[in-house]
Amino acid sequence: MAASPLPPPDPQFVLRGAQSAVHALHFCEGAQGQGRPLLLSGSLRGLVHIWSLQTRRVVATLDGHGGQCVTWLQTLPQGPQLLSQGRDLKLCVWDLAEGRNAVVDSVLLESVGFCRGSVLAGGLQRWMLAVPGRGSDEVQILEMPSKTSVCSLKPEAQARLGMPMCLQLWQADTSPRPLLLAGYEDGSVALWDVSSRKVCSRVACHTEPVMGLDFDSQEARGVSGSAEKALAVWSLDEQQALQEQLWEWCAERRRPKVLWRLGAQPAGTLRGAWSVVKLSRLCTWAGPGVQPPPHPPWSPVCWGCLALPRCGHPHTSSSGGPSGSGQVGSA
């Protein structure tokens, strides 16, 4: 007889005041946090809240998306700048230096989908941005901050991959050529060589759309999650060929329905974490075997997004939800 579901674990604290459902989260360092990480949250109403994890209060509110949902937040390594992507078809660049909270630039997007962008740091003043393109199956690569179009990556028509659902720009230590991993609507993950605009390899590891992926370039191993309630682990060999691993984790019916986001931690350790609709469980696992540890069957609760801080901080994760509550929990 199956054991009764256990209640979710108690969070270390709950941040209240977002006033609408939280759809994006991101940890960052900042002077406003007095040496401790800040937590950024993006809400359904288009606001970005900057939370101090010391005082557990909002220290600033950013309003740049005209009341439209914020779907992605990312800070730039070059300095105190923040990227926010919204359903208003706009990506805003915010200056957060010395307490400033101003939009200094913006990029008009051409896709109304939910695919989040991805950033690859270049020099001190240059970085690369990948966003969904004008075509339904297209990815646009821009050089920033000049907004110069590098290329558009569009699969061959006969491939029928569908829309890009998630993106990750990265660069191997042994090569200056930028690469892009893209999860598609048909359930496949493709590796693009941005310079040659060609697909290096592709692996069909899911039967439903890929909703999130992450890749550890040190271990040459990645993980993806899909709408069919499954996680797949894949690797990249020396010939840049993606290969699906035998290990796979599939959820029971009362477990995840949609996998929204996956995260990898540094130091050569592949870890996955996700926030899902109708699931209150945060799962982490580590290499090299990438075997999931046992977890109690926590009861279903609706979550919308999840973020992981860098290693060494006592707060392991923050998750937004339930939908419409405007609350952020830190576990």
Side-chain angles (χ1 to χ4, degrees):
M1 183 175 179
S4 300
L6 300 177
D10 293 330
Q12 292 190 13
F13 54 83
V14 176
L15 306 175
R16 295 180 174 87
Q19 300 176 352
S20 65
V22 177
H23 283 252
L25 288 167
H26 180 66
F27 283 97
C28 72
E29 299 288 343
Q32 291 171 320
Q34 298 180 7
R36 299 184 64 181
L38 301 171
L39 178 64
L40 311 178
S41 66
S43 73
L44 178 64
R45 294 184 181 179
L47 299 179
V48 176
H49 293 91
I50 303 179
W51 304 83
S52 167
L53 296 183
Q54 184 175 22
T55 65
R56 303 177 189 178
R57 295 181 181 274
V58 173
V59 297
T61 301
L62 314 180
D63 186 358
H65 291 283
Q68 298 295 308
C69 178
V70 177
T71 59
W72 180 55
L73 296 169
Q74 178 68 50
T75 49
L76 296 177
Q78 293 92 331
Q81 288 188 319
L82 168 69
L83 304 180
S84 64
Q85 179 181 340
R87 292 280 287 169
D88 59 343
L89 298 182
K90 188 167 66 173
L91 187 145
C92 294
V93 182
W94 301 83
D95 180 12
L96 304 182
E98 300 178 353
R100 293 190 292 271
N101 301 307
V103 176
V104 295
D105 203 354
S106 62
V107 177
L108 296 180
L109 305 177
E110 298 179 294
S111 172
V112 74
F114 288 92
C115 182
R116 299 176 174 93
S118 180
V119 169
L120 177 64
L124 293 177
Q125 302 297 328
R126 297 171 56 191
W127 44 284
M128 187 173 286
L129 173 68
V131 292
R134 178 178 299 177
S136 62
D137 59 351
E138 186 178 342
V139 177
Q140 186 178 14
I141 307 295
L142 301 175
E143 183 182 279
M144 298 292 290
S146 66
K147 305 181 195 175
T148 302
S149 178
V150 176
C151 64
S152 292
L153 305 178
K154 186 176 178 67
E156 296 180 357
Q158 61 268 27
R160 297 182 180 180
L161 304 185
M163 295 184 296
M165 306 297 292
C166 47
L167 307 171
Q168 182 171 337
L169 280 168
W170 65 285
Q171 195 171 38
D173 295 336
T174 57
S175 173
R177 300 172 70 90
L179 301 169
L180 174 74
L181 283 163
Y184 285 93
E185 190 178 10
D186 74 333
S188 66
V189 175
L191 176 68
W192 288 86
D193 185 316
V194 174
S195 300
S196 65
R197 307 180 190 182
K198 295 182 179 180
V199 175
C200 301
S201 62
R202 183 170 68 93
V203 58
C205 47
H206 299 282
T207 59
E208 295 290 336
V210 180
M211 304 303 295
L213 63 83
D214 212 322
F215 181 70
D216 186 335
S217 60
Q218 300 298 318
E219 296 288 332
R221 184 176 297 171
V223 61
S224 55
S226 71
E228 89 263 22
K229 304 176 292 186
L231 294 178
V233 176
W234 30 269
S235 61
L236 184 66
D237 64 19
E238 295 179 354
Q239 285 73 43
Q240 293 189 330
L242 291 170
Q243 298 179 347
E244 185 178 6
Q245 304 295 294
L246 295 177
W247 179 84
E248 186 182 74
W249 182 82
C250 293
E252 299 173 7
R253 289 186 178 181
R254 66 171 183 265
R255 301 296 168 78
K257 295 191 71 175
V258 179
L259 297 164
W260 288 105
R261 189 169 181 180
L262 298 164
Q265 290 287 358
T269 301
L270 179 67
R271 296 180 182 270
W274 59 92
S275 179
V276 298
V277 176
K278 295 185 179 178
L279 176 73
S280 66
R281 188 168 75 173
L282 166 67
C283 298
T284 62
W285 64 96
V290 199
Q291 296 296 324
H295 286 271
W298 295 334
S299 59
V301 175
C302 181
W303 299 111
C305 52
L306 179 141
L308 296 171
R310 310 308 291 174
C311 290
H313 191 264
H315 305 293
T316 59
S317 66
S318 285
S319 52
S323 179
S325 71
Q327 297 182 2
V328 179
S330 182

